[in-house]
Amino acid sequence: MRKKIIAGNWKMNKTAGDARSLVADIMKLSVDASKAHVIIIPPQVYLSEFGSLSKANGVSIGAQNSYPKNEGAFTGEVSAYILKSLGVEYCLVGHSERRKYFGEADLDCLEKVNALLEQGLTPILCVGEELSVREEGKHFDHVKKQLLAVLTSVTPTELTKIIIAYEPVWAIGTGKTATTQQASEMHSYIRQLISDQFDAKIASQVYVLYGGSVNDANAKELMSANDIDGVLVGGASLIFTSFEKIISAVKS
Ligand code: PGA
């Protein structure tokens, strides 16, 4: 049985002091590890401080980005190999902001996923369509293309170590959450796609999260839907009271 994953992507937010106090508050929560797993994804500069907290209290630490070489002359980059040495366990790949502002393409996602898997880190592979794509009715094809770019090159065992996050771009940071039905039908589609590429057993083991304007008012309903194994939260993860309510939505 898949438990729920609640991941907080802080993006480029929080000064050092604010980051410390938010993490301290989250660490005080009692998370029932049999039901929920919390992942905090702060800016890279805080990972050396927070990485050592990974696995404490049912909470893990994730990175927002990684570079697919281990070490070398790649100024400004941080590799999966270095992240591992900090205790980081998860890493986002292909977030729509990386795709839009930093030109991260499907092939880059594949390289990053491979490098992360090689180091034993769990990639959180983000996929999702822009509004124009949905309006044209091509959202399933779009997500399929993004997913297959990675899934066709990994083994079944590797796939069970990858988390997928469906994040419709039009819902990110806009306050426009996908309806539970819209999210649910895409999640079922993703699981069916995995089942077709691999098999139903593998498909049942893969976590598929929803992201895009998740907040304390909609998290519970989203997470109650079949095939939605948790949420990737941006804005609402920056406010302790909201994030806490999203986590408790799993328990209640
Ligand atoms: P949001 O961001 O919750 O602020 O919409 C989600 C994300 O980008 O992961």
Side-chain angles (χ1 to χ4, degrees):
M1 166 93 177
R2 301 184 300 267
K3 50 184 163 181
K4 299 293 182 196
I5 293 179
I6 294 107
N9 173 14
W10 292 6
K11 310 190 181 184
M12 195 178 71
N13 289 292
K14 299 285 175 196
T15 59
D18 292 346
R20 257 176 226 131
S21 70
L22 180 53
V23 164
D25 284 342
I26 296 169
M27 287 295 170
K28 277 185 221 139
L29 294 173
S30 66
V31 179
D32 179 349
S34 67
K35 287 193 180 155
H37 189 73
V38 175
I39 307 170
I40 303 173
I41 310 177
Q44 309 286 67
V45 283
Y46 303 134
L47 294 173
S48 67
E49 185 172 336
F50 301 153
S52 59
L53 301 172
S54 228
K55 289 208 176 77
N57 260 359
V59 178
S60 290
I61 302 297
Q64 297 178 12
N65 187 30
S66 60
Y67 192 72
K69 300 272 188 266
N70 282 357
E71 286 182 304
F74 301 102
T75 303
E77 294 297 317
V78 178
S79 65
Y81 177 71
I82 293 174
L83 291 173
K84 185 186 178 189
S85 72
L86 300 174
V88 172
E89 293 177 83
Y90 296 82
C91 185
L92 298 179
V93 176
H95 187 280
S96 65
E97 287 146 21
R98 299 286 325 162
R99 292 180 192 257
K100 182 174 171 195
Y101 301 125
F102 305 99
E104 197 161 309
D106 288 336
L107 190 60
D108 301 311
C109 293
L110 175 60
E111 287 185 354
K112 290 181 182 199
V113 163
N114 283 334
L116 288 160
L117 290 172
E118 208 169 285
Q119 296 303 324
L121 270 78
T122 302
I124 304 177
L125 175 64
C126 305
V127 294
E129 80 285 357
E130 294 79 19
L131 185 58
S132 57
V133 175
R134 179 163 278 265
E135 283 171 348
E136 277 178 84
K138 295 195 173 140
H139 42 294
F140 292 114
D141 289 346
H142 183 89
V143 166
K144 179 178 183 179
K145 181 179 161 287
Q146 289 179 323
L147 276 177
L148 291 188
V150 174
L151 302 194
T152 48
S153 300
V154 298
T155 66
T157 314
E158 284 171 338
L159 178 57
T160 60
K161 294 177 185 146
I162 297 174
I163 294 174
I164 293 165
Y166 170 56
E167 297 205 299
V169 180
W170 47 271
I172 295 178
T174 58
K176 268 192 232 158
T177 325
T179 62
T180 304
Q181 197 204 332
Q182 285 172 321
S184 198
E185 65 181 9
M186 181 59 86
H187 282 233
S188 309
Y189 174 79
I190 291 172
R191 210 172 295 283
Q192 187 58 49
L193 190 66
I194 298 171
S195 182
D196 295 344
Q197 289 293 317
F198 296 86
D199 61 45
K201 185 163 177 259
I202 299 282
S204 73
Q205 290 169 23
V206 176
Y207 280 81
V208 187
L209 313 184
Y210 169 79
S213 294
V214 173
N215 57 40
D216 52 41
N218 58 29
K220 188 171 176 184
E221 187 186 322
L222 283 162
M223 286 193 282
S224 66
N226 252 351
D227 286 321
I228 300 186
D229 302 317
V231 285
L232 178 54
V233 189
S237 72
L238 298 171
I239 307 156
F240 175 67
T241 47
S242 303
F243 197 54
E244 179 189 25
K245 283 190 193 133
I246 295 171
I247 296 168
S248 18
V250 175
K251 293 188 235 159
S252 50

